[in-house]
Amino acid sequence: MLAHSPTVPTGPTGPRERKQSSKAQSLQTLGFLHRTYPRFGLEKMTQDVEMKDRTAPSNSVSSTGPSTLHQLKEIASLIETGSYTKEVRRIVRAIRLTMALRRKLKVPVLSAFLDFALVPVSEAHSRLSAYLPKEDEHDMEVDTATSADQAPVKHLVPELEIYCYLLVLVFLIDQKKYNEAKACSSASIVRLKNLNRRTVDVLASKLYLYYSYSYELTGHLAEIRGNLLGLHRITTLRHDELGQETLLNLLLRNYLHYNLYDQAEKLRSKAPRFEAHSNQQFCRYLFYLGKIRTIQLEYTDAKESLLQAARKAPAAARGFRIQCNKWAIIVRLLLGEIPERTVFMQKGMEKALRPYFELTNAVRIGDLELFRSVAEKFAGTFSTDRIHNLIVRLRHNVIRTGLRNISISYSRISLADIASKLRLDSANPVADAESIVAKAIHDGAIDATLDHSNGWMVSKETGDIYSTIEPQIAFNSRITFCLNMHNEAVRALRYPPNTQKEKESAEKRRERQQQEQELAKHIAEEEDDDF
């Protein structure tokens, strides 16, 4: 018998080699099938085989982002650091991060955060926990493992307590629990009156805003007018300029909500004015100022304020910009100007500005009948926007525009034809047409003469407009606008706090560059804040 020789292993012996060999054979087979049958679409199968080993480890390790509770704890740490170091910018950053998380807030998360931030037996903890609605046990989806491993450190800084009030108040408003939000906001205002810290001013301004908003949502805005006046006096004595800006705008909104324009103007004229600290509050102030000037028939100042508010408003505040454009369009029509078509074609505003586009078209043509039909068609929209009384004022402008078109088209026309073209529906249209023409000639709207004996209006020949001072007036207004914009840009420049020209070390240079980057990021993200 021949002895059996030992078999020499020629194939893969280890599990890793067998896996690689089977993978290579599979790829070779798929490549052959792809060359032979190109219509079968085997590219996806090849990719699945190649990506199988890459996706396998992802099943064992799951990469999830930080939870909402963890992010709130980081914000609390940021507020605590800002309180100890007296850095207001850290408080501002904490508010900005909170507004990005407001859609993720839930009752279990808020309850766990209150336990973390406040002492459980404290009065603030008991009061805020009572405002939160009760949840079932199976809805408690909180990081219990994380909170159990790390013992919560009780923060006793007042800024964190005020932040908890703000967090619960925002949550209640988002959940449309307006009565609870009103009670929570009132309690927070009582607590704020006992605090006089500059690091609380930023949080206080937000609480003032939601305090007024919660009462406005419940229809009891007039009840807090006295409290707002008292708070404005307190912030003035404490030199809280941001609080003064916020409360002044809230008081103006309160007065304008009930059409108390005279009281609003008296308050605005006597309130102290200083350099704006918040772009959002400055835009609101310009908008309210434009509304007051419009009602007082000061259309030129109103137009400037409204257009400036629309330009300064951030792009994210689309609703505010729509309101500014609505009022600006009406004011320009009352001034005898016709807004450009691009004003109505702005992105995201076409549908909201459609009634005003049709109204502008009626005023441009000078057709009184079309103006009446548009005013009746969109009467509900104009009443909701609270500018129905301004629409009534536009009737005279429509008549004047139509009369101007008639004077340009005809060298001589009878008063009866003018009445018919203007579609005057009065008892004596000829007499009304005569008075309208006489007033237009007296105001300088048209260049014509009135022949009372024959009942004619004789238009004068149109002269060269460049021989008058109108081009000079137009250029002067444009130059003034550019100079004012340049001056505002210069005043808005920000400089680093360290202006010493000493030689700085590498560590100080890195620290300064990091602060400059944070400041630039803050300026870029400031416009996206909650408006």
Side-chain angles (χ1 to χ4, degrees):
M1 285 180 70
L2 296 175
H4 294 284
S5 61
T7 307
V8 179
T10 58
T13 57
R16 181 177 299 178
E17 295 177 356
R18 286 196 299 270
K19 187 175 181 179
Q20 293 177 353
S21 176
S22 60
K23 176 183 176 182
Q25 292 177 1
S26 301
L27 290 176
Q28 290 177 0
T29 305
L30 287 172
F32 172 75
L33 292 175
H34 177 64
R35 289 191 300 270
T36 308
Y37 305 102
R39 294 184 181 180
F40 287 171
L42 298 173
E43 294 85 352
K44 185 176 182 303
M45 295 174 60
T46 308
Q47 294 175 0
D48 292 341
V49 174
E50 293 178 351
M51 295 298 294
K52 184 176 181 181
D53 294 334
R54 300 181 186 178
T55 57
S58 63
N59 296 329
S60 58
V61 181
S62 60
S63 59
T64 58
S67 62
T68 306
L69 179 60
H70 180 69
Q71 293 177 351
L72 288 177
K73 291 179 180 180
E74 291 181 348
I75 293 175
S77 176
L78 188 63
I79 292 176
E80 185 183 15
T81 305
S83 175
Y84 289 145
T85 59
K86 308 298 182 184
E87 291 181 310
V88 181
R89 62 181 180 85
R90 294 184 183 272
I91 311 294
V92 175
R93 183 182 177 189
I95 293 177
R96 188 168 62 250
L97 294 175
T98 303
M99 295 307 163
L101 289 176
R102 62 185 300 179
R103 302 303 179 189
K104 301 179 182 179
L105 296 178
K106 296 181 180 179
V107 175
V109 176
L110 288 176
S111 301
F113 179 72
L114 293 179
D115 295 337
F116 168 79
L118 302 174
V119 180
V121 295
S122 63
E123 182 183 359
H125 183 277
S126 303
R127 183 184 294 113
L128 291 176
S129 300
Y131 294 135
L132 297 177
K134 303 300 180 182
E135 292 284 331
D136 297 334
E137 294 182 357
H138 58 80
D139 293 334
M140 300 288 289
E141 300 177 356
V142 189
D143 270 347
T144 55
T146 306
S147 59
D149 296 339
Q150 301 176 356
V153 180
K154 299 305 176 184
H155 305 272
L156 301 178
V157 292
E159 289 81 2
L160 197 55
E161 180 184 350
I162 299 301
Y163 174 74
C164 291
Y165 274 105
L166 177 62
L167 200 63
V168 174
L169 180 57
V170 169
F171 172 76
L172 292 174
I173 292 178
D174 289 343
Q175 297 297 319
K176 298 183 179 180
K177 298 183 180 298
Y178 301 134
N179 293 325
E180 292 83 353
K182 186 170 68 171
C184 180
S185 62
S186 300
S188 65
I189 294 301
V190 173
R191 181 69 179 94
L192 271 176
K193 291 181 179 179
N194 301 324
L195 295 176
N196 186 11
R197 296 163 64 97
R198 299 286 71 80
T199 50
V200 181
D201 293 345
V202 182
L203 295 168
S205 64
K206 286 293 181 182
L207 277 179
Y208 297 148
L209 179 63
Y210 289 112
Y211 173 57
S212 176
Y213 186 53
S214 60
Y215 274 83
E216 183 178 355
L217 290 174
T218 53
H220 301 90
L221 194 58
E223 297 178 4
I224 62 171
R225 191 178 301 155
N227 293 336
L228 292 177
L229 289 170
L231 290 171
H232 187 269
R233 181 172 60 252
I234 292 174
T235 53
T236 303
L237 295 175
R238 293 177 178 177
H239 302 285
D240 178 11
E241 295 184 351
L242 180 59
Q244 292 179 57
E245 280 184 350
T246 305
L247 288 169
L248 177 60
N249 287 332
L250 293 178
L251 284 167
L252 292 178
R253 182 180 182 87
N254 197 311
Y255 284 123
L256 297 182
H257 183 77
Y258 295 99
N259 297 324
L260 303 175
Y261 288 92
D262 292 336
Q263 290 87 332
E265 174 58 21
K266 289 179 182 178
L267 173 66
R268 188 208 63 81
S269 60
K270 295 181 179 180
R273 292 300 303 165
F274 37 80
E275 185 180 357
H277 291 264
S278 173
N279 181 57
Q280 289 81 11
Q281 297 301 330
F282 186 54
C283 290
R284 289 190 179 99
Y285 174 78
L286 290 174
F287 176 61
Y288 298 144
L289 179 60
K291 294 177 70 173
I292 294 172
R293 290 287 184 260
T294 303
I295 299 301
Q296 294 178 341
L297 304 180
E298 299 178 8
Y299 297 136
T300 304
D301 296 339
K303 171 191 169 185
E304 182 180 354
S305 299
L306 292 170
L307 291 180
Q308 191 175 4
R311 284 193 299 266
K312 285 182 174 292
R318 187 174 61 181
F320 178 80
R321 293 171 59 233
I322 288 175
Q323 289 296 324
C324 291
N325 280 284
K326 287 179 179 180
W327 279 78
I329 289 169
I330 297 298
V331 169
R332 294 183 66 180
L333 291 177
L334 289 171
L335 282 171
E337 302 177 4
I338 303 298
E340 299 81 5
R341 184 179 290 267
T342 55
V343 175
F344 306 95
M345 298 294 113
Q346 299 181 56
K347 185 178 180 181
M349 300 185 187
E350 298 91 345
K351 184 177 180 181
L353 297 180
R354 184 66 186 179
Y356 296 85
F357 175 73
E358 296 189 13
L359 186 69
T360 302
N361 188 35
V363 175
R364 181 182 62 84
I365 297 173
D367 191 342
L368 194 59
E369 188 65 27
L370 180 60
F371 173 78
R372 287 198 199 98
S373 63
V374 172
E376 293 176 359
K377 180 180 178 182
F378 299 104
T381 303
F382 298 143
S383 299
T384 303
D385 295 336
R386 311 185 72 172
I387 56 173
H388 185 70
N389 56 342
L390 300 179
I391 303 298
V392 176
R393 295 184 190 178
L394 277 176
R395 181 179 182 275
H396 181 68
N397 292 64
V398 175
I399 295 175
R400 179 172 293 187
T401 304
L403 187 59
R404 188 183 301 114
N405 295 336
I406 291 173
S407 65
I408 295 174
S409 303
Y410 296 92
S411 60
R412 187 179 65 180
I413 186 173
S414 64
L415 296 176
D417 292 339
I418 292 176
S420 63
K421 288 182 178 298
L422 293 179
R423 299 182 183 181
L424 301 178
D425 53 355
S426 58
N428 192 356
V430 178
D432 290 344
E434 185 176 2
S435 62
I436 290 172
V437 171
K439 190 175 187 306
I441 294 173
H442 179 267
D443 295 341
I446 58 175
D447 191 8
T449 57
L450 189 60
D451 189 351
H452 295 279
S453 59
N454 296 322
W456 291 338
M457 182 190 74
V458 181
S459 302
K460 297 181 180 179
E461 295 183 2
T462 305
D464 186 11
I465 193 173
Y466 290 99
S467 61
T468 63
I469 62 172
E470 289 189 13
Q472 181 181 355
I473 296 175
F475 280 117
N476 182 55
S477 63
R478 296 178 184 180
I479 293 172
T480 304
F481 171 76
C482 294
L483 291 176
N484 290 336
M485 181 179 293
H486 175 266
N487 294 334
E488 291 177 4
V490 171
R491 284 195 297 266
L493 289 175
R494 301 187 183 184
Y495 300 94
N498 185 14
T499 57
Q500 300 177 0
K501 297 184 179 180
E502 300 177 357
K503 293 184 178 179
E504 55 183 358
S505 60
E507 183 179 356
K508 289 185 177 180
R509 187 184 302 109
R510 286 195 300 269
E511 208 175 301
R512 178 178 57 82
Q513 291 176 354
Q514 184 178 0
Q515 291 179 357
E516 291 176 355
Q517 291 177 359
E518 291 181 359
L519 181 61
K521 183 179 179 182
H522 167 63
I523 295 174
E525 294 179 354
E526 186 180 10
E527 294 184 351
D528 296 333
D529 194 4
D530 184 28
F531 200 79

